[in-house]
Amino acid sequence: MDTILVVNAGSSSVKFQVFAIEAGDLKRQIKGQMDGIGTTSRLRASDADGNAMVDRRFSRQEVSSVSAALQVAADWLREAHDIQPMAVGHRVVHGGPEHSRPTLINREVLGRLDRYVSLAPLHQPNNLAPIRALLDRFPQLPQVACFDTAFHRGHCAVADRYALPERFYAEGVRRYGFHGLSYEYISSLLPQVAPEIAGGRVIVAHLGSGASMCALSGGRSVDSTLGFTALDGLPMGTRAGQLDPGVVLYLLQEKRMSAAEVQSFLYGECGLKGLSGISNDMRELEASGDPRAAFAIEYFVYRVGLHAGMLAAALGGLDAFIFTAGIGENSARIRAQIAERIAWLGATLDPVANTSAKLKLSRDDSRVALYMVRTEEELMIARHTLALISSVGLPAPGRRSLAMPAPN
């Protein structure tokens, strides 16, 4: 059975899925992750029906890096289930100005993607680590990079430019937008699940630890709350979101922070964590009775409402608003509060549908339809990977072992 392995690597976890290729279609076989990398790691996986397949823990010495975590997962897939993929698809957050579509990986491409580490320091190094590990061990195994920036590359110039001299735009200083794989999946799904809005003016809110919103017109991205880096727009788990650049100057000049300290602060100490002083996890904030937690939630909801108005203006009106990702899919309370914030646009929530997590959350008389759609970024990556290796006529590399030697 031919399979595609999808890898989504973060700073302390590696998520993976295995998709079987059957009659040109993709079927999920395994969904798993290695988390706690660098501390006490845990390998968990389930089959297509959600049944547990493995739950094992590893010491810090056994799994000390993203590459080591990939090795453990690959060894388990090979030894326990004889999974030896014909190609591997990866989520890569930043594609820069060069990459507007999925790309077959080689050393040259990997070198170009290394240049964007400073623009996505939480993501890019970890996205590239498993690519590099597999490229070192299996240079003939096709690997495909799928970019979170690619879906937004069709924006008009006024949406993508900053009010800076032309030379900076030429260097790549522009508004890229992120979470594109999630938005692309939602856009591709709408004709089947909600055809009445698929061609209209839609805002999709990808609300999770990383959060952003995207304006879709006819299924295409026309603007986004994220820009040059993943620091813009909405407040997130540990990121501040939209910020006056003067604050950065203040931190550098008045607080005498180094550029590295400012980067670490803005990426890791702000957002919900900074506002609440409690947690970056919305679930913990919702469960807390601390007024600081309530304020962090209120701030998050307020900012979603503000950016909804901005994106509605970009679209020239609004037909639908879609919730997705961890918070958007799982928190009825946050959905209700956001719906109240955008009621002025014509959105009227159905409380019963909302608490039941239905697909359509709005009342029938709502002028703006409200939906909750579960995103599937890994499936989008698998589709891109299959399409690319098919289009370039790459043969299946045969039954290769993905076992890698333990790191030194």
Side-chain angles (χ1 to χ4, degrees):
M1 176 176 64
D2 287 331
T3 58
I4 287 175
L5 172 65
V6 172
V7 177
N8 186 347
S11 59
S12 62
S13 67
V14 174
K15 298 178 183 178
F16 61 90
Q17 294 195 35
V18 176
F19 294 87
I21 305 170
E22 298 181 2
D25 199 9
L26 293 162
K27 286 190 155 184
R28 181 185 290 107
Q29 300 294 303
I30 299 172
K31 179 178 183 178
Q33 68 180 59
M34 281 284 300
D35 52 24
I37 297 170
T39 55
T40 301
S41 301
R42 186 179 184 187
L43 171 64
R44 289 175 290 173
S46 57
D47 63 18
D49 297 319
N51 300 310
M53 301 175 71
V54 65
D55 190 343
R56 293 169 53 190
R57 296 182 183 273
F58 301 85
S59 69
R60 180 176 182 175
Q61 291 70 33
E62 290 175 297
V63 182
S64 60
S65 66
V66 169
S67 296
L70 178 63
Q71 175 189 326
V72 169
D75 286 350
W76 174 76
L77 289 169
R78 178 181 56 84
E79 294 167 4
H81 301 283
D82 197 27
I83 299 294
Q84 300 179 62
M86 63 181 293
V88 183
H90 299 265
R91 178 197 179 201
V92 177
V93 165
H94 215 304
E98 298 105 325
H99 298 291
S100 60
R101 58 181 59 86
T103 300
L104 198 65
I105 293 288
N106 56 32
R107 296 285 178 189
E108 181 183 355
V109 170
L110 189 59
R112 289 201 300 266
L113 297 179
D114 269 326
R115 299 206 302 263
Y116 306 118
V117 165
S118 65
L119 304 186
L122 291 186
H123 304 89
Q124 198 85 347
N126 301 300
N127 297 159
L128 301 183
I131 296 175
R132 186 171 283 108
L134 288 175
L135 193 59
D136 287 344
R137 293 295 300 162
F138 307 105
Q140 300 307 312
L141 176 66
Q143 296 190 78
V144 176
C146 301
F147 303 102
D148 262 337
T149 50
F151 185 63
H152 305 292
R153 288 299 303 278
H155 290 179
C156 65
V158 293
D160 270 0
R161 292 286 293 268
Y162 289 108
L164 298 172
E166 169 70 25
R167 65 182 182 276
F168 290 98
Y169 180 79
E171 291 172 7
V173 181
R174 60 189 73 175
R175 299 186 71 250
Y176 290 99
F178 298 91
H179 295 131
L181 292 163
S182 176
Y183 295 129
E184 185 178 12
Y185 175 78
I186 299 295
S187 177
S188 72
L189 192 64
L190 288 183
Q192 288 78 51
V193 302
E196 65 277 12
I197 65 166
R201 301 164 298 181
V202 178
I203 293 174
V204 184
H206 179 104
L207 306 179
S209 180
S212 70
M213 296 160 66
C214 177
L216 299 179
S217 178
R220 296 176 62 86
S221 172
V222 299
D223 211 334
S224 169
T225 59
L226 282 172
F228 181 53
T229 71
L231 284 173
D232 202 1
L234 302 177
M236 305 175 221
T238 60
R239 285 169 270 171
Q242 186 179 34
L243 196 68
D244 183 338
V247 174
V248 178
L249 296 178
Y250 175 82
L251 296 175
L252 291 168
Q253 295 171 355
E254 300 298 326
K255 304 305 289 184
R256 304 297 182 187
M257 296 172 70
S258 67
E261 288 171 334
V262 171
Q263 177 175 282
S264 178
F265 174 71
L266 294 179
Y267 275 99
E269 299 299 327
C270 300
L272 297 177
K273 179 181 178 181
L275 283 171
S276 70
I278 297 169
S279 176
N280 64 322
D281 191 320
M282 184 64 81
R283 293 166 296 187
E284 294 183 17
L285 297 180
E286 288 191 81
S288 174
D290 192 309
R292 296 175 300 167
F295 178 75
I297 293 172
E298 181 182 5
Y299 184 92
F300 179 81
V301 169
Y302 176 71
R303 291 288 161 177
V304 171
L306 285 181
H307 283 85
M310 178 190 76
L311 294 179
L315 289 166
L318 188 62
D319 300 312
F321 187 98
I322 297 173
F323 298 93
T324 195
I327 297 170
E329 294 173 14
N330 297 303
S331 177
R333 172 183 169 185
I334 299 299
R335 291 197 300 263
Q337 291 182 10
I338 292 172
E340 185 176 354
R341 278 283 174 188
I342 63 172
W344 67 276
L345 285 167
T348 307
L349 186 72
D350 181 335
V352 175
N354 184 43
T355 55
S356 303
K358 300 290 187 182
L359 171 67
K360 188 173 183 180
L361 306 176
S362 53
R363 290 192 340 204
D364 290 340
D365 60 350
S366 180
R367 286 189 290 111
V368 170
L370 299 171
Y371 288 83
M372 187 278 287
V373 180
R374 299 190 184 279
T375 193
E376 291 279 359
E377 293 164 291
E378 285 79 11
L379 177 56
M380 199 73 242
I381 294 169
R383 288 175 179 171
H384 281 311
T385 301
L386 178 59
L388 182 56
I389 62 174
S390 299
S391 69
V392 298
L394 286 175
R399 299 182 60 80
R400 288 184 171 83
S401 168
L402 289 187
M404 291 182 284
N408 293 330

